[in-house]
Amino acid sequence: MSGRSTAFDLTGDVALVTGSSRGIGKTIAFGLAEAGASVVLNGRNEDALEQTRVEFEDHFGSDRVHVAGFDVTSPDAAAAGVANIERTVGPLDILVNNAGVQHRVPMLELDPADWDRVLSTNLTSAFLVGREAARQMIPRGRGKIINILSVQADLARPTIAPYIASKGGLRNLTRAMTAEWAAHGLQINGLAPGYIHTEMTQNLVDDEQFNSWILGRTPAARWGKTEDLVGPAVWLASRASDFVNGQTIFIDGGMSVVV
């Protein structure tokens, strides 16, 4: 804790956030930087990634904002990407596995290629990048891994089977990581957002019938905001959560606890 103002202070830490050019990942990365971390942005869209880098540098300066645009679904790219961060930015203290995609179609019409694409992006990437991060963190005896799940880790609705399977798998991957790595000083936990208003969900917000269902189904009677995840993410990334391991924290306005 020397040199840190509070247990939530991330000053001096290096944080990689996958899928951080927009949406939830971008907001979490911004929140970690506000708490003092140097952030490494990652994403597939080079233009969006560059735009986010410029925006972050305006707030935090170029020395605390970095870009690593590697493919999180490739074992070789994940290994090279994490190694490059360690070499050029510094020891990785925090990993947020946020990269994700959605695909809406009934299961009877689902192309297996789309199933594979969603599982690879949402689940396998967390295994690949998480494993490479752990290889570096374990010898140092500390590290934070935060997996971004979804309320769909516990609940299901029609037409999003690959997404549901991937997020349920990611919840158990979080537990598996804990079982193997907690003894080495790592804390691995999950954040499970409910229905968050982002570019990815804009079409659902615009659907009057679905929007009304969300407002009625959520005790808080609103859509979540990406900012709602920042406090929990900073907590799980900080020393304040050093004895929290293998847990999934639902950020859903109460949706998962009512019928």
Side-chain angles (χ1 to χ4, degrees):
M1 291 283 294
S2 176
R4 297 175 186 266
S5 59
T6 73
F8 299 91
D9 187 356
L10 303 180
T11 299
D13 286 350
V14 174
L16 166 63
V17 184
T18 68
S20 50
S21 63
R22 62 182 182 177
I24 287 173
K26 178 181 177 180
T27 302
I28 288 176
F30 194 91
L32 296 178
E34 282 191 313
S38 293
V39 295
V40 182
L41 305 170
N42 166 272
R44 288 181 174 176
N45 186 318
E46 292 183 4
D47 291 339
L49 201 58
E50 175 62 14
Q51 183 176 340
T52 299
R53 181 192 65 79
V54 171
E55 180 182 335
F56 276 38
E57 285 190 357
D58 286 344
H59 281 85
F60 306 111
S62 59
D63 60 323
R64 289 180 51 214
V65 180
H66 309 270
V67 170
F70 62 89
D71 180 2
V72 296
T73 67
S74 162
D76 291 343
V82 171
N84 187 58
I85 292 167
E86 291 266 333
R87 183 172 58 253
T88 62
V89 182
L92 188 60
D93 302 286
I94 302 158
L95 166 64
V96 181
N97 281 313
N98 170 75
V101 294
Q102 178 62 284
H103 187 78
R104 297 182 178 92
V105 65
M107 272 194 286
L108 295 181
E109 302 169 17
L110 179 63
D111 188 323
D114 288 318
W115 169 275
D116 290 342
R117 177 175 59 88
V118 174
L119 268 290
S120 177
T121 305
N122 296 6
L123 177 59
T124 304
S125 70
F127 159 67
L128 294 174
V129 183
R131 181 172 64 171
E132 296 307 322
R135 291 190 201 280
Q136 305 297 328
M137 293 172 172
I138 286 172
R140 295 192 286 263
R142 65 176 299 269
K144 303 281 186 172
I145 298 176
I146 304 169
N147 295 324
I148 304 301
L149 284 66
S150 164
V151 70
Q152 259 79 45
D154 254 17
L155 307 176
R157 67 179 180 84
T159 75
I160 57 169
Y163 188 83
I164 293 166
S166 69
K167 295 302 184 178
L170 189 52
R171 186 176 191 181
N172 271 342
L173 178 62
T174 301
R175 291 166 169 158
M177 288 174 167
T178 296
E180 296 199 20
W181 301 338
H184 301 284
L186 276 61
Q187 288 84 49
I188 307 95
N189 293 286
L191 289 180
Y195 283 83
I196 308 295
H197 188 173
T198 67
E199 293 176 33
M200 192 165 130
T201 59
Q202 185 62 53
N203 63 325
L204 299 177
V205 176
D206 294 338
D207 184 323
E208 184 175 344
Q209 183 177 1
F210 192 86
N211 183 61
S212 295
W213 179 78
I214 289 293
L215 298 182
R217 179 69 176 78
T218 306
R222 69 171 175 87
W223 284 77
K225 300 174 292 185
T226 56
E227 292 80 6
D228 291 323
L229 279 81
V230 171
V234 170
W235 169 56
L236 290 179
S238 73
R239 280 85 182 152
S241 62
D242 275 356
F243 201 54
V244 181
N245 232 319
Q247 302 304 305
T248 294
I249 314 299
F250 284 80
I251 317 295
D252 65 356
M255 174 180 278
S256 60
V257 301
V258 298
V259 294

